[in-house]
């Protein structure tokens, strides 16, 4: 008799979701599904709003990565205004996005994922969280908090608020960085870099004992998508779109977001509110691709900053070339923080970031605009259609986490097949299934996190729908 194991909710991710694991008559895993059970409706309720409001509205999609939507919406607005923003405006947007990458990756590594590495997959779930990490290694936990604080403070210095700053607008940004803010960043960069190296060196040591996780946490061939610069370097704001495969071959290059519908299709499944994007030339679901830190390090030729380039080479040596294990997302995040800090250091010395010429003024010149940017979790698309007055007629959003949807489902299935056999399932095995999702650091809606004892519901359901076993905690 077939059975279903349900993990609901999945913990230590941003938003609410559940995992269903389907067992066959022999008690072996047959399939697994990652369900996103929230419905937000941003694409629909933005209709009728002025285009000028979209940066502020869409930033409310998330309390952890609002900057991603803020900037992508502003870039879409640039297209509708048909303006080229001043150099200061672009550099300041880049600075904020680098700060966003830093704070978000620090949250993911130190707060959400490191409890598994440092406290153990089978440790008490009531302690396997940031509070348990504080008790076990207060210096590391404190450093992680400070690193995230650095990124948040840079965002506040630019936009006057850590969360949902009303700063980036169509045409540029509202104001430059102050001289005092620039000095604060200079003063805090050395500490942030030191913290990053502590975490990076720690994780590299841990990797020697995590071979099973590397081989089973989403180790499969796929395409990878993201932005690269004009010379193939790592990019997070401009550049063009590139797809590569698991051997490092370039599948498609020099793609523009303006034509994204030519190469990205969007499918749906009845069991999840999250869309399933795919690479159109390969069809659904064969056109599976991954985005985010892992993909960005796979598609770029080099990082473009000296320290991150040295770490990137070691990363590729450890991965055997192209990193195809989703467990390497954690490693890639740390390298991206390092590169972000190096680029922040460059930008704070650029005179443009204190220039008052930060915004181009214009009216509605195009009735359609498509913007793209790299959020911490991957490539983000905003697509708006407006009327002559700039009122939104239609919105399409392809969220970074959505781009990873097929890969997340494949990862859950792979982990479950490796660790789960029969209907007696240890808590640590279920945590490993959840941890496969945490590799991607999915942002499902907003900053919803479980603290203390992790709430979890597990059900074994027979083929006739009868619940034969149920376990709850939290």
């Amino acid at each position: 008799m077939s059975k279903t194991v349900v993990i609901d909710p999945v913990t230590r991710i941003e938003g609410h979701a559940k995992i269903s694991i389907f067992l066959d008559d022999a008690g072996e895993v047959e399939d697994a599904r990652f369900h996103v059970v929230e419905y937000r409706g941003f694409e629909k309720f933005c209709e009728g709003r002025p285009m000028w409001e979209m940066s502020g509205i869409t930033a409310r999609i998330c309390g952890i990565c609002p900057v991603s939507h803020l900037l992508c919406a502003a870039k879409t607005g640039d297209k509708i205004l048909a303006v080229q923003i001043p150099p200061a405006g672009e550099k300041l947007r880049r600075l904020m996005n680098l700060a966003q990458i830093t704070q978000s990756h620090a949250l993911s590594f130190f707060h959400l994922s490191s409890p598994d590495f440092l406290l153990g997959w089978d440790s008490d779930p009531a302690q396997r969280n940031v509070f348990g990490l504080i008790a076990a290694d207060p210096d590391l936990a404190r450093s992680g908090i400070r690193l995230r604080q650095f990124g948040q403070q840079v965002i506040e210095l630019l936009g006057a608020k850590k969360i949902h700053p009303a700063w980036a607008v169509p045409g540029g940004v509202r104001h430059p960085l102050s001289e005092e803010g620039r000095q604060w960043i200079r003063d805090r960069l050395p500490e942030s870099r030191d913290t990053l190296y502590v975490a990076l060196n720690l994780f590299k040591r841990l990797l020697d004992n995590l071979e099973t996780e590397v081989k089973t946490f989403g180790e499969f061939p796929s395409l990878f998508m993201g932005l690269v610069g004009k010379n193939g370097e790592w990019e997070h704001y401009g550049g063009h779109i590139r797809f590569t495969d698991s051997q490092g071959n370039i599948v498609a290059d020099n793609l523009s977001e303006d034509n994204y519908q030519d190469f990205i299709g969007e499918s749906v499944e009845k069991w999840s509110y999250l869309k399933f994007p795919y690479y159109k030339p390969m069809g659904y679901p064969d056109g599976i691709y991954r985005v985010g830190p892992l993909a960005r390090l796979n598609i770029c030729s080099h990082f473009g900053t000296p320290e991150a380039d040295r770490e990137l080479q070691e990363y590729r040596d450890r991965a055997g070339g192209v990193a195809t294990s989703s467990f390497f997302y954690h490693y890639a995040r740390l390298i991206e923080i390092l590169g972000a800090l190096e680029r922040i250091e460059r930008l704070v010395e650029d005179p443009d970031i204190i220039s008052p010429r930060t915004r181009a003024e214009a009216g509605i010149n195009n009735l359609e605009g498509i913007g793209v940017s790299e959020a911490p979790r991957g490539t983000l698309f905003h697509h708006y259609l407006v009327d002559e007055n700039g009122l939104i007629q239609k919105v399409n959003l392809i969220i970074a986490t959505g781009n990873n949807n097929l890969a997340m489902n494949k990862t859950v299935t792979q982990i479950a097949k490796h660790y789960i056999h029969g209907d007696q399932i240890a808590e640590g095995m279920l945590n490993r299934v959840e941890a496969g999702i945490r590799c991607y650091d999915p942002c499902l809606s907003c900053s919803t996190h479980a603290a203390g004892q992790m709430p979890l519901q597990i059900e074994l359901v027979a083929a006739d729908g009868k619940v034969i076993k149920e376990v709850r905690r939290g």
Side-chain angles (χ1 to χ4, degrees):
M1 181 181 293
S2 63
K3 304 179 180 68
T4 303
V5 181
V6 179
I7 305 175
D8 183 13
V10 180
T11 56
R12 281 187 279 139
I13 62 173
E14 293 159 42
H16 298 287
K18 71 176 182 179
I19 295 171
S20 296
I21 302 169
F22 301 92
L23 307 180
D24 61 19
D25 292 341
E28 297 299 311
V29 173
E30 187 172 45
D31 193 13
R33 291 175 179 173
F34 175 63
H35 311 261
V36 176
V37 296
E38 294 176 306
Y39 178 72
R40 307 297 304 289
F42 272 79
E43 290 176 329
K44 193 65 180 174
F45 67 62
C46 285
E47 292 178 6
R49 306 304 304 176
M51 179 274 297
W52 306 95
E53 295 181 354
M54 291 300 287
S55 296
I57 291 174
T58 59
R60 266 67 184 179
I61 290 174
C62 181
I64 293 297
C65 52
V67 168
S68 304
H69 292 284
L70 176 77
L71 297 180
C72 199
K75 289 186 72 176
T76 309
D78 299 341
K79 296 279 190 70
I80 293 172
L81 300 185
V83 297
Q84 181 175 347
I85 70 172
E90 178 175 335
K91 291 173 184 178
L92 287 160
R93 286 183 183 178
R94 284 178 172 274
L95 180 59
M96 181 175 273
N97 204 36
L98 292 167
Q100 163 70 6
I101 289 170
T102 299
Q103 73 87 12
S104 181
H105 283 359
L107 172 67
S108 175
F109 183 82
F110 289 96
H111 295 67
L112 305 182
S113 296
S114 66
D116 290 327
F117 314 143
L118 300 176
L119 305 179
W121 307 99
D122 302 297
S123 58
D124 182 356
Q127 301 299 321
R128 196 175 57 227
N129 49 51
V130 68
F131 301 107
L133 181 62
I134 291 171
D137 194 337
D139 290 339
L140 180 67
R142 189 180 301 111
S143 296
I145 291 169
R146 291 274 291 176
L147 180 58
R148 185 182 180 220
Q149 181 192 52
F150 170 77
Q152 288 182 301
Q153 187 62 40
V154 174
I155 293 169
E156 184 174 23
L157 289 169
L158 291 167
K161 294 173 65 178
K162 290 185 177 73
I163 301 175
H164 304 142
W167 179 70
V169 292
V173 301
R174 294 186 185 276
H175 52 76
L177 180 67
S178 69
E179 187 59 52
E180 293 78 12
R182 180 155 73 166
Q183 188 58 48
W184 185 92
I185 296 171
R186 286 190 186 115
D187 293 341
R188 279 290 297 273
L189 273 168
E191 177 193 349
S192 298
R193 194 184 304 242
D194 290 345
T195 296
L196 180 279
Y197 273 113
V198 168
L200 183 58
N201 292 330
L202 172 63
F203 187 76
K204 287 191 289 188
R205 291 195 301 271
L206 291 172
L207 268 180
D208 295 335
N209 297 315
L210 294 169
E211 291 183 1
T212 300
E213 286 76 13
V214 170
K215 293 177 181 178
T216 58
F217 279 41
E219 169 61 87
F220 52 80
S222 75
L223 299 180
F224 301 94
M225 181 188 77
L227 295 174
V228 294
K230 62 181 180 179
N231 297 313
E233 71 274 15
W234 181 90
E235 183 55 85
H236 64 102
Y237 175 83
H240 61 268
I241 298 166
R242 172 182 287 177
F243 282 86
T244 63
D245 64 19
S246 295
Q247 288 73 48
N249 302 308
I250 295 176
V251 174
D253 204 5
N254 295 306
L255 300 174
S256 170
E257 67 273 15
D258 295 334
N259 304 315
Y260 80 95
Q261 291 175 318
D262 292 340
F263 53 86
I264 294 179
E266 299 175 71
S267 188
V268 295
E269 298 285 357
K270 63 182 179 180
W271 41 267
S272 180
Y273 283 119
L274 189 61
K275 294 185 286 189
F276 290 77
Y278 60 96
Y279 182 58
K280 256 186 176 178
M282 294 178 64
Y284 179 82
D286 294 337
I288 178 175
Y289 61 86
R290 283 176 273 188
V291 299
L294 184 82
R296 287 191 288 257
L297 295 195
N298 279 340
I299 66 171
C300 71
S301 60
H302 60 292
F303 206 97
T305 58
E307 294 180 44
D309 273 326
R310 284 195 295 272
E311 293 297 336
L312 177 60
Q313 185 58 56
E314 181 179 347
Y315 169 91
R316 288 174 171 171
D317 291 343
R318 286 174 175 266
V322 177
T324 55
S325 170
S326 293
F327 194 76
F328 267 62
Y329 267 100
H330 303 300
Y331 193 174
R333 281 188 192 96
L334 296 173
I335 295 174
E336 286 200 324
I337 294 175
L338 175 59
L341 294 175
E342 289 183 284
R343 291 186 181 219
I344 289 172
E345 186 173 37
R346 289 178 181 176
L347 280 169
V348 294
E349 303 306 329
D350 192 314
D352 278 339
I353 66 168
I354 57 172
S355 168
R357 293 181 289 276
T358 62
R359 184 174 180 182
E361 301 286 351
I364 303 299
N365 289 305
N366 289 319
L367 301 183
E368 183 175 13
I370 301 170
V372 66
S373 185
E374 286 291 337
R377 290 151 189 85
T379 318
L380 171 65
F381 294 87
H382 279 213
H383 182 183
Y384 309 156
L385 277 72
V386 303
D387 66 12
E388 295 288 350
N389 298 311
L391 296 181
I392 296 290
Q393 303 300 295
K394 185 177 180 181
V395 174
N396 189 47
L397 306 175
I398 302 182
I399 309 300
T401 294
N403 283 312
N404 278 329
N405 201 6
L406 282 170
M408 289 190 293
N409 277 275
K410 191 163 187 174
T411 296
V412 168
T413 302
Q414 185 181 62
I415 296 172
K417 285 184 175 181
H418 182 82
Y419 285 103
I420 296 176
H421 306 281
D423 58 8
Q424 298 301 313
I425 306 169
E427 193 280 334
M429 299 299 100
L430 292 175
N431 182 47
R432 287 170 171 83
V433 176
E434 289 188 80
I437 293 298
R438 286 195 289 273
C439 290
Y440 298 87
D441 190 26
C443 184
L444 306 180
S445 62
C446 58
S447 53
T448 302
H449 304 291
Q453 188 172 2
M454 293 163 48
L456 189 68
Q457 177 183 337
I458 306 166
E459 291 182 342
L460 295 182
V461 184
D464 60 3
K466 181 180 179 181
V467 177
I468 59 173
K469 187 174 182 180
E470 183 176 27
V471 179
R472 293 178 180 269
R473 71 178 182 211

